[in-house]
Amino acid sequence: MTVELPVKKLDGYSIFSKEDVEAIFELGKELRGLKVVHVNATAYGGGVAELLMTIVPLMKDAGLNASWEVLEAPMEFFNVTKKLHNTLQGADIEISEEEWELFEKVNEENAKKLNLDADVVIIHDPQPAYIPYFKSDTHIKYIWRCHIDTSTPNLKVWNRLTSKMTKYEKALFHIMDYVRAPFDKIAVEFPPSIDPLSPKNRELSEAELKSVVERYKIDVSRPLITVVARFDPWKDLFSAIDVYRKVKERYDIQLAIVSAMAKDDPEGWIFFEDILRYAGVDNDILFLTDLKGVGHLEVNAIQRLSTLGLHTATREGFGLVISEMMWKEHPVVARPVGGVKIQIDDGINGYLRQSVEELADAICDLLENQSRLREFGKNAKEKVRKTYLSTAHVKRYLEVIKSVVK
Ligand code: UPG
């Protein structure tokens, strides 16, 4: 399925990163008209869809013929690929022969069905990873874009999966810790980005904020700690509730759990129930999900209304939600894992802590020290402005595309 895209103009981004925008237009001249197709598993929900909704329109504005295709697959396929995702992040579970067969079959069908007649095809994550294997065209250059933490994968699954991923010319990873054979020779360090002009991150008016406060009954007179994360085992929302309870012994806080159900994540419903049960009856734990109409603008408003962010993930490829919160001038207290470590500079724009007690202490430290809270918040925004905006990301894409077509 081809995803319909909004129009986005690079000119609008010049106020944030003039040099990157100029560099993109230069590269765009060299690559004008080049047909580039991105392929992933869902058009809505989760970090990859969030990224493509900006990256693809900006590539178009740079002069490339860029488009975005989404896999067509039954729910059983997504059960298998969620298992695949979990094993690549280290889970010790088996994938049966039947499941591998389904994985291959859906990839083969999509290799035929999707609109992939292009110069460069960029495959995101493991779900569509076998499409190149099933394509016979020799002129297409393939790039694999990995979004997950593959630092300690289940090797049996990793080796089997990658044994048929031989047609890729480049493999892009958020950080080099994730790189392993067979991609070590073609790997590129490739952190993602947030879009400062998207509904998720743009400035909001007082009226927009007020409407969210009223709709979701947020008490702005008390501190609000926010965790934005899919209902996924790796996000460890149980720990987020434990941290909240520890802090609550000392401060009258509220916890917002902001979450959406991604189409390619059938496990989400099971975790949703488990976490609701774990939270019990506590009116200061706010479940703000897409079921209640929490979309991009609402997530933006909740992040802006927050005192600080909390992120308890135990594996995290990058964690866009951290940069999103930092962009709104709030520090994030998080576990020192994967891509989280490159966003948060401990003691400068947030805190990196492992245990529930340490995470709770770090939050209390910021609640006690309002001037530190503000200073960390300013540092946080500056870090994102310098490092993680869409323009830097688009520029890196054009450089990598140029390297495979020249
Ligand atoms: N989001 C919503 N509504 C919600 C909850 C989340 O829009 O109710 C958004 C959130 O704002 C963010 C995205 O969904 O933009 C979630 O992205 P991220 O925090 O990066 O997590 P994942 O969905 O797990 O994304 C995968 C990787 C992650 C990586 C990302 C992009 O797990 O580590 O940063 O892909 O490469």
Side-chain angles (χ1 to χ4, degrees):
M1 183 193 77
T2 307
V3 180
E4 276 190 41
L5 294 163
V7 173
K8 299 205 178 198
K9 295 274 171 203
L10 282 157
D11 281 343
Y13 294 77
S14 297
I15 47 164
F16 305 108
S17 45
K18 191 163 176 288
E19 283 165 19
D20 281 341
V21 171
E22 281 167 7
I24 293 169
F25 279 127
E26 278 307 307
L27 284 158
K29 274 187 214 153
E30 293 180 53
L31 302 172
R32 182 156 297 280
L34 199 77
K35 187 151 187 223
V36 178
V37 181
H38 291 260
V39 185
N40 85 319
T42 176
Y44 174 76
V48 182
E50 181 84 21
L51 288 169
L52 292 177
M53 201 46 94
T54 290
I55 295 300
V56 185
L58 291 185
M59 279 188 177
K60 280 170 80 111
D61 193 48
L64 282 76
N65 179 358
S67 57
W68 172 9
E69 292 286 317
V70 171
L71 282 184
E72 291 169 27
M75 193 46 88
E76 304 86 72
F77 172 81
F78 294 120
N79 285 326
V80 176
T81 56
K82 189 65 204 295
K83 269 189 168 180
L84 205 48
H85 171 104
N86 289 341
T87 50
L88 295 185
Q89 293 211 132
D92 187 17
I93 43 175
E94 287 286 323
I95 295 182
S96 69
E97 275 315 309
E98 275 173 8
E99 289 172 328
W100 279 112
E101 273 169 30
L102 178 62
F103 175 71
E104 294 209 7
K105 183 169 156 269
V106 170
N107 269 268
E108 188 173 8
E109 285 166 3
N110 277 275
K112 293 193 193 105
K113 232 185 312 188
L114 299 182
N115 188 1
L116 300 173
D117 178 22
D119 301 297
V120 179
V121 172
I122 303 175
I123 302 281
H124 293 262
D125 272 346
Q127 299 94 328
Y130 278 12
I131 283 183
Y133 177 78
F134 290 111
K135 294 279 297 175
S136 49
D137 317 51
T138 50
H139 69 281
I140 305 175
K141 308 285 185 191
Y142 294 102
I143 296 173
W144 189 47
R145 179 26 165 159
C146 178
H147 291 270
I148 55 189
D149 176 347
T150 53
S151 53
T152 53
N154 174 326
L155 281 177
K156 200 169 142 202
V157 174
W158 172 263
N159 291 337
R160 174 148 183 186
L161 175 76
T162 57
S163 66
K164 287 185 178 166
M165 292 174 64
T166 51
K167 286 198 190 165
Y168 291 98
E169 311 239 343
K170 294 280 177 204
L172 317 180
F173 296 88
H174 295 316
I175 55 176
M176 293 312 263
D177 289 0
Y178 300 162
V179 179
R180 356 181 28 88
F183 302 120
D184 29 358
K185 301 254 162 29
I186 59 165
V188 180
E189 187 170 19
F190 212 88
S193 60
I194 64 155
D195 179 349
L197 297 179
S198 70
K200 176 72 56 66
N201 297 309
R202 71 166 169 82
E203 294 286 331
L204 296 179
S205 68
E206 281 304 317
E208 285 170 319
L209 290 170
K210 190 162 171 264
S211 133
V212 170
V213 168
E214 283 167 4
R215 248 185 299 153
Y216 298 104
K217 301 192 172 38
I218 297 169
D219 178 356
V220 287
S221 70
R222 292 184 294 146
L224 176 68
I225 313 296
T226 295
V227 44
V228 183
R230 284 181 297 106
F231 292 113
D232 172 299
W234 304 103
K235 308 290 184 188
D236 191 11
L237 288 167
F238 302 104
S239 283
I241 292 172
D242 291 341
V243 171
Y244 154 82
R245 287 184 176 140
K246 281 252 163 259
V247 178
K248 188 83 169 169
E249 290 166 11
R250 289 149 75 182
Y251 288 92
D252 186 16
I253 57 165
Q254 306 158 88
L255 176 71
I257 296 180
V258 181
S259 199
M261 294 290 174
K263 181 177 167 275
D264 63 340
D265 187 1
E267 226 182 11
W269 288 106
I270 298 163
F271 274 91
F272 180 44
E273 277 183 26
D274 287 349
I275 288 154
L276 274 181
R277 238 176 262 127
Y278 194 72
V281 183
D282 182 338
N283 288 339
D284 282 339
I285 301 181
L286 314 174
F287 280 93
L288 304 172
T289 70
D290 55 339
L291 300 173
K292 285 190 193 164
V294 174
H296 296 290
L297 189 136
E298 289 76 12
V299 175
N300 184 351
I302 296 157
Q303 287 171 327
R304 286 179 190 280
L305 292 162
S306 301
T307 311
L308 53 86
L310 170 64
H311 201 67
T312 42
T314 53
R315 285 272 193 289
E316 192 64 89
F318 182 76
L320 293 174
V321 293
I322 293 173
S323 275
E324 288 166 3
M325 185 62 98
M326 289 168 72
W327 180 245
K328 285 133 198 160
E329 278 190 48
H330 299 306
V332 180
V333 172
R335 288 192 163 127
V337 295
V340 177
K341 286 184 296 190
I342 60 169
Q343 298 176 79
I344 298 177
D345 301 310
D346 185 42
I348 293 172
N349 56 29
Y351 284 124
L352 292 169
R353 298 289 184 271
Q354 187 60 44
S355 70
V356 164
E357 287 72 23
E358 289 167 325
L359 289 160
D361 284 347
I363 291 178
C364 290
D365 173 83
L366 291 170
L367 294 177
E368 259 149 41
N369 295 286
Q370 290 294 312
S371 62
R372 191 174 300 155
L373 181 72
R374 277 193 300 277
E375 181 198 323
F376 277 26
K378 284 201 169 46
N379 295 343
K381 181 163 190 179
E382 189 52 17
K383 169 88 186 255
V384 176
R385 195 188 61 73
K386 277 199 192 130
T387 334
Y388 301 122
L389 294 187
S390 314
T391 43
H393 195 194
V394 172
K395 181 170 145 238
R396 272 196 297 281
Y397 262 118
L398 298 196
E399 284 163 351
V400 113
I401 289 168
K402 184 176 156 186
S403 77
V404 299
V405 294
K406 295 283 155 162

